[in-house]
Amino acid sequence: MKRAWFGPKRFGWGASPASWEGWAATGLFIVAMLATGNLFREATWVWGAMLAEFVVYVLVVILTYDKNARTSV
């Protein structure tokens, strides 16, 4: 069985990082969003790029999610 990167949150709905890979993916997503917003704020396509980054992050969460994984948060 694969190692889960994300698992259920302790309280509420959603996913939370369950391993260092999940934390790395979340950190990379935040850095990518901030960099895209700051470097290309004048571009007309910036919202499309940020939407694409969000979709990729959600796909990573879905593909590496395990409902039985223990989360650290």
Side-chain angles (χ1 to χ4, degrees), residues 41-52:
R41 77 177 63 153
E42 299 298 324
T44 58
W45 49 266
V46 70
W47 292 109
M50 292 175 90
L51 178 63

Side-chain angles (χ1 to χ4, degrees), residues 3-72:
R3 183 173 167 190
W5 290 10
F6 294 90
K9 290 173 32 177
R10 288 187 184 171
F11 302 104
W13 293 356
S16 179
S19 69
W20 71 266
E21 293 96 343
W23 284 106
T26 301
L28 183 64
F29 168 70
I30 292 169
V31 168
M33 291 292 275
L34 290 172
T36 302
N38 286 327
L39 294 175
F40 304 110
R41 77 177 63 153
E42 299 298 324
T44 58
W45 49 266
V46 70
W47 292 109
M50 292 175 90
L51 178 63
E53 291 170 2
F54 177 74
V55 168
V56 168
Y57 178 71
V58 169
L59 285 174
V60 168
V61 171
I62 290 170
L63 292 174
T64 61
Y65 182 84
D66 183 8
K67 66 179 180 178
N68 298 318
R70 290 183 168 225
T71 59
S72 57

